[in-house]
Amino acid sequence: MVNKRLKYNLGYRCTVMVWMTLKFIMQIYVFHFKNRIWDDQTVAKWNCLVTKMATEYREKAGKLGGVLIKVGQFLSTRTDFMPDAFIKELSELVDRVPAMPYSYARSILEEEWGTSIYDVVEEIQTPSIASASIGEVYRATLKDGKTVVAIKVQRHRISDVFHKDFKALRIVFWLIETLTTFGKKADLPSLYRELVTVMNRELNFEQELSNALYFQERFKDNTSIHIPFYVEELCTRKILVMEWIEGAKITDLSFMNQHQIDPQRIAKTVFDFYLEQFLQSGKFHADPHAGNILIRTDGTVVIIDFGMIGEVRKQDSHYFKQLIHSIIVDDYDKVIQTLDEMNFILPNADRKKLKRIIRETVEMYQTGTVNMQDTHIIEQLKEDIRLILHEQPIQLSAEYAYLGRAISIVIGILIAIYPEVDLQKWATPKFKQWFGGKRFAESMYTDYVKDTIKPILSYPQAVLNWLENGEKQRQWEKQKQQRQQKHHYFIILEVLNVTFLLVTLGCMSVGFYVGLQLMALIGLVSASVFAVMLIIVIRKHYKMIQSLW
């Protein structure tokens, strides 16, 4: 009975994911069909539509949990292609789901430990103190009667749920790739692989334990930072047993005032801790929200939850330095080359246009005084970066996306703790050390002198290339593009009709199989309608092709 219910739930989840995708695609196409001219009013309508879709997704994900929550959190990091309104809504997606029955948790604990739970713990508090899509956390006291721990238990059959959701997700990605222009712009197979890899990593608690031990070793000499200890002999692939932490969220200023803790000192501690991770090669804590950074009564900052971890490789550090160097010496050809080496730019990107956009954005900030204490300036900077990413076919790897998200969250936390924070003052000595001090400055000056003549030599050639194209060539390209758009429009309609036809035939078959006559009848009628529509669309498409011969 339990297995049948699980299979039904998994089938329902798959249907919801596919249906939401098709619904969103149809809403987008209808909107673009009705709004040919994009003025301020149309943009406002578009933002409302995106927010509505994101809200619907967030609500569905909150009810169903599992992969839907993790996909939402993953997409909230993807400023390289997700609309800002969608990201803003998904950033509020909280990984909280109804608690599973304690009987399931106890059975998992005893199965993993190979003994009765009370052979290991003296006491365990129920219900759980926290419940997320992957695991539940219980407070317990070990058998010695004094060691208080947090026990994180993987949810019942969550691995089965996730891997069934992955199959539904593959269908979703195929639909997006086939039916949308975004599918042609983004490398969706690569994105799918990254998503599955990230989620599988979170399902393995032994990996989270390994991450925590890594941070313990890396920051063992930092007395201002505490990483909880883990009872390794009790940790398994499905269970984590760690030190119980008493404290408050890092943004709880009233807690700091109550215990006479200096917010500036705490902000500086957090800043130094994360900046080292962002600049130096190694792993970084990729989920630094306020709930994962705690503060104890003695002012010690505690970092918890190492399920979501990114990595800055030595090569990444070299790329970052190369980008900053190239921007300083005004060598934007080198900027594009570096972005290519980092696999940021997809093959169909207009590199000349991308170079111009980046140059103009950088120059805009170079000509004015940017005060990083101003949250409005920070938001404007983030918006400009989003515009660059949306303008051209650029796709970040999961590691870079998580890095960008982590930096953004940490800056927000610093401002919340200490609004007068001077990031430039704190960062300058760290960046000097990171760049290599005087030697780097000397090499940068040499490159600057050597490369200043490049724009003068490249300009005449650019003008000559533009003149050689000719007006007729540009007109022909415009007509060709219009024909291709019309052809793609018919293909989209045909694929949509085929998809709906298959879905309705499936509903009809299920209805006949389980004996739901009304469901079977609705499926039959709907399938007939979509079959007729498909024939009409194919005929019109064929006539259009004939007219081009």
Side-chain angles (χ1 to χ4, degrees), residues 88-230:
K88 185 176 181 180
E89 189 70 25
L90 291 186
S91 64
E92 299 176 7
L93 181 60
V94 180
D95 194 355
R96 294 289 181 270
V97 295
M100 68 177 174
Y102 171 66
S103 57
Y104 283 144
R106 179 170 178 172
S107 65
I108 292 171
L109 287 168
E110 293 183 340
E111 180 183 344
E112 291 292 303
W113 287 339
T115 186
S116 168
I117 185 174
Y118 290 105
D119 289 338
V120 179
V121 304
E122 182 77 23
E123 177 189 13
I124 184 168
Q125 294 182 9
T126 57
S128 60
I129 60 166
S131 182
S133 58
I134 291 180
E136 305 230 3
V137 179
Y138 295 85
R139 175 174 173 154
T141 305
L142 295 184
K143 200 66 177 176
D144 61 12
K146 59 181 180 180
T147 306
V148 182
V149 294
I151 301 178
K152 185 177 178 181
V153 186
Q154 201 169 98
R155 291 182 72 87
H156 178 63
R157 299 200 68 175
I158 190 61
S159 181
D160 293 340
V161 172
F162 265 48
H163 287 99
K164 289 293 184 182
D165 281 357
F166 289 156
K167 294 179 180 179
L169 203 59
R170 187 184 290 273
I171 298 173
V172 167
F173 273 60
W174 177 82
L175 289 171
I176 296 172
E177 186 176 16
T178 305
L179 303 180
T180 69
T181 55
F182 165 71
K184 305 295 185 295
K185 172 183 172 181
D187 184 0
L188 290 183
S190 173
L191 191 66
Y192 174 80
R193 288 192 298 271
E194 286 182 358
L195 188 57
V196 172
T197 300
V198 168
M199 292 184 189
N200 273 325
R201 197 186 301 160
E202 289 196 55
L203 283 174
N204 184 359
F205 285 0
E206 288 177 342
Q207 182 62 54
E208 184 173 342
L209 171 63
S210 175
N211 294 334
L213 296 178
Y214 165 85
F215 278 90
Q216 280 182 356
E217 178 63 24
R218 181 171 175 180
F219 294 99
K220 63 183 179 182
D221 297 327
N222 189 337
T223 57
S224 300
I225 296 290
H226 178 71
I227 310 296
F229 70 78
Y230 286 72

Side-chain angles (χ1 to χ4, degrees), residues 396-445:
L396 308 181
S397 69
E399 297 291 350
Y400 289 131
Y402 280 140
L403 179 62
R405 173 178 178 267
I407 292 172
S408 176
I409 293 174
V410 169
I411 290 175
I413 287 176
L414 292 174
I415 292 172
I417 299 172
Y418 183 55
E420 298 81 17
V421 60
D422 189 340
L423 296 178
Q424 184 176 354
K425 180 181 177 181
W426 287 357
T428 298
K430 301 284 186 182
F431 271 97
K432 283 183 179 178
Q433 183 181 3
W434 179 60
F435 269 121
K438 185 178 178 181
R439 286 172 310 188
F440 178 80
E442 289 173 350
S443 66
M444 185 182 70
Y445 177 76

Side-chain angles (χ1 to χ4, degrees), residues 189-369:
S190 173
L191 191 66
Y192 174 80
R193 288 192 298 271
E194 286 182 358
L195 188 57
V196 172
T197 300
V198 168
M199 292 184 189
N200 273 325
R201 197 186 301 160
E202 289 196 55
L203 283 174
N204 184 359
F205 285 0
E206 288 177 342
Q207 182 62 54
E208 184 173 342
L209 171 63
S210 175
N211 294 334
L213 296 178
Y214 165 85
F215 278 90
Q216 280 182 356
E217 178 63 24
R218 181 171 175 180
F219 294 99
K220 63 183 179 182
D221 297 327
N222 189 337
T223 57
S224 300
I225 296 290
H226 178 71
I227 310 296
F229 70 78
Y230 286 72
V231 186
E232 294 182 51
E233 62 270 21
L234 297 180
C235 296
T236 71
R237 191 178 181 86
K238 295 183 179 181
I239 298 171
L240 281 175
V241 182
M242 70 204 82
E243 174 187 2
W244 178 264
I245 300 295
E246 293 287 354
K249 288 184 178 181
I250 194 69
T251 51
D252 191 340
L253 294 178
S254 62
F255 180 87
M256 293 188 200
N257 290 332
Q258 180 184 350
H259 295 92
Q260 298 180 336
I261 300 171
D262 182 9
Q264 181 179 358
R265 181 179 67 81
I266 298 302
K268 185 65 164 60
T269 298
V270 173
F271 175 84
D272 290 340
F273 175 72
Y274 280 101
L275 188 63
E276 179 181 342
Q277 296 173 57
F278 297 154
L279 294 182
Q280 305 300 331
S281 58
K283 295 179 180 179
F284 65 87
H285 188 225
D287 196 19
H289 62 76
N292 286 341
I293 310 175
L294 308 178
I295 183 168
R296 298 200 289 199
T297 54
D298 62 355
T300 304
V301 175
V302 183
I303 311 297
I304 64 173
D305 194 346
F306 299 93
M308 189 183 294
I309 296 296
E311 184 173 3
V312 175
R313 300 163 299 173
K314 288 184 178 179
Q315 186 63 38
D316 296 328
S317 185
H318 167 73
Y319 285 143
F320 297 153
K321 290 179 183 179
Q322 195 165 277
L323 277 173
I324 296 172
H325 178 196
S326 301
I327 290 173
I328 291 173
V329 301
D330 202 30
D331 187 352
Y332 288 90
D333 287 325
K334 187 68 174 178
V335 170
I336 298 300
Q337 179 186 331
T338 304
L339 291 175
D340 262 325
E341 291 173 1
M342 297 171 77
N343 295 319
F344 272 25
I345 308 176
L346 297 180
N348 56 329
D350 184 340
R351 282 159 174 75
K352 289 183 179 179
K353 188 173 183 180
L354 179 59
K355 182 173 71 173
R356 178 178 58 79
I357 293 171
I358 295 174
R359 182 196 295 273
E360 289 175 354
T361 304
V362 171
E363 287 177 350
M364 181 178 67
Y365 285 96
Q366 285 177 340
T367 54
T369 302

